[in-house]
């Protein structure tokens, strides 16, 4: 980072009555920030973020996807009693001595929710009929599955014969087999999902302490942008980055405020960012972060906050900006929709998860063989969109056509990002590459 003085001709339209040609030359000095490698940028950003401290107690039904605020310790053993894993007969392993077949007297039954109650103490050769999930009386320690039994009901009492000699504990789930009372079942910082809330339920919990949801505000910027629907005048396009961001953000435990479209007007951007930052934990804008004459976002950020990182050695998404406006974290994502999506997924999402208090989880990556030749100029790590498929024993990945950063079409049908290292040149079909399944990132 080093200081640099620059002259800039900026169109300030502070007062709408002023004619647009009234422009103002501004001297500014800013720190020139060198572009960073992706991993370095992520490490710097994530390590500089403190999780929000708040927490709340929520019903398990709404806890899915939230971040656990505390460890959860099991209050009960699961299962709470020795229970049968199969349908069959419960016996004492020690009763099956000598040569088979063994003949046992059936003195009762135990069904799930209806334990056996002994009228008299059990004799050595007594057994009970038992079904999956039912509890074993203390005298019996194993289960012979019913497929290995013959049942005789034409006697004064019912009998079972079997040739099987089970080990003690066979087909029995002992107390605490799933989890023992006092064991940690959830760790603080874990992201809860269907399985974890199911497990908490099984342990008798109805609520769980989760981290507060950060407030995330989003803006699109650009004079050419119009809300979708209706007719477009010449030069205008339908705005798509806000819905793209909203839908990606919907997968995180955050509260999203969509604050609409801002014009390429530094005065308007200035006021809007200041206001939004006062009410947000993290602010995301799209577009206006590059070096064009109408790219004002980084300049405004330097006036009202700090620009900490600007430009990444990645493709697409080079002009990404990261900084702060007072206590609010700020991401200026590049405007091309593919760049917006890729930089959100690779950089903004890990930062948001840290803000949510989530432990940093390794993203699943696979090695796959390229189905196509891929063009790549060394110098930036590239994320192409691909379709990952199993082909016999191999994983094959093919690219989704033209990879220009304006083409959201390249995301359509894609199920992964292909990660092409910075130093590589063109890659021939058959080359092994690393791929990030989108299902794992989203
Ligand atoms: P910029 O980063 O402002 O140079 O924008 C790069 C490209 O992305 C331009 O072609 C813009 O028209 C396009 N773009 C910017 N923002 C959006 C948006 N919200 N929705 C769709 N396209 C956008
Ligand atoms: Mg623009």
């Amino acid at each position: 980072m080093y200081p640099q003085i620059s002259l800039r001709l900026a169109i300030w339209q502070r007062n709408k009555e002023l004619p647009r040609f009234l422009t103002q030359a501004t001297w500014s000095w800013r720190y020139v920030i060198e572009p960073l490698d992706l991993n370095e940028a992520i490490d710097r950003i994530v390590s500089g973020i403190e999780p929000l401290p708040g927490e709340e107690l929520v019903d398990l039904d709404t806890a899915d996807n939230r971040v656990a605020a505390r460890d959860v310790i099991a209050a009960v053993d699961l299962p709470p009693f020795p229970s049968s894993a199969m349908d069959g007969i419960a016996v004492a392993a020690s009763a099956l001595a000598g040569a088979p077949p063994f003949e046992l007297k059936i003195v009762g039954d135990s069904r799930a929710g209806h334990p056996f109650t002994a009228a008299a103490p059990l004799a050595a050769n007594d057994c009970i009929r038992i079904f999956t999930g039912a509890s074993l009386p203390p005298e019996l320690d194993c289960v012979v599955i019913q497929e290995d039994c013959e049942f005789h009901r034409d006697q004064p009492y019912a009998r079972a014969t079997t040739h099987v000699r089970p080990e003690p504990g066979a087909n029995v789930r002992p107390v605490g087999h799933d989890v023992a009372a006092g064991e940690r079942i959830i760790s603080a910082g874990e992201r809860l999902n269907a399985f974890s809330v199911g497990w908490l339920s099984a342990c008798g919990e109805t609520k769980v302490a989760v981290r507060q949801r950060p407030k995330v505000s989003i803006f699109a910027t650009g004079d050419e942008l119009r809300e979708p629907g209706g007719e477009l005048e010449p030069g205008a396009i339908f705005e798509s980055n806000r819905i793209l961001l909203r839908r990606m953000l919907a997968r995180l435990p955050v509260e999203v405020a969509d604050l609409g479209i801002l014009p390429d007007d530094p005065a308007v951007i200035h006021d809007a960012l200041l206001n939004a930052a006062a009410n947000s934990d993290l602010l995301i804008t799209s577009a206006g972060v590059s070096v064009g004459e109408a790219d004002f976002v980084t300049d405004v950020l330097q006036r009202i906050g700090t620009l900490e990182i600007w430009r990444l050695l990645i493709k697409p998404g080079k002009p990404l900006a990261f900084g702060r406006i007072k206590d609010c974290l700020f991401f200026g994502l590049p405007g091309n929709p593919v760049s917006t999506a890729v930089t959100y997924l690779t950089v903004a999402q890990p930062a948001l998860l840290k803000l949510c208090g989530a432990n940093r989880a390794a993203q699943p990556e696979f090695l796959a063989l390229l189905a196509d030749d891929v063009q790549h100029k060394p110098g930036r790590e590239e994320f192409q969109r691909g379709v990952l498929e199993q082909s016999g024993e191999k994983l094959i990945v093919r690219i989704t056509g033209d990879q220009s950063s304006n083409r959201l079409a390249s995301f359509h049908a894609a199920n992964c990002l292909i990660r092409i290292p910075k130093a590589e040149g063109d890659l021939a079909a058959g080359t092994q590459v690393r791929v990030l399944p989108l299902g794992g990132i989203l």
Side-chain angles (χ1 to χ4, degrees), residues 219-222 224-225 237-242 261 264 286-292 294-295 319 333-337 340 405-406 408:
F219 284 113
T221 71
E224 74 282 27
L225 304 176
I237 59 168
F238 292 126
E239 195 283 312
S240 59
N241 285 341
R242 277 155 56 233
I261 303 173
D264 289 318
S286 82
V289 283
S290 197
V291 289
D295 292 331
L333 305 184
N336 271 307
T340 309
S405 60
N406 60 313
L408 263 184

Side-chain angles (χ1 to χ4, degrees), residues 23 71 79 96 105 136 155 174 176 195 215 243 250 262 295 324 328 363 377 379 382 384 404 427 432:
T23 60
D71 291 355
L96 308 184
K105 180 178 173 185
L136 271 84
Q155 299 291 320
F195 309 112
K215 290 190 191 130
I243 193 163
L262 298 176
D295 292 331
R324 280 161 216 266
C328 179
Q363 281 171 357
K377 258 200 282 170
E382 184 167 0
Q384 298 206 357
S404 304
L427 301 177
Q432 196 176 54

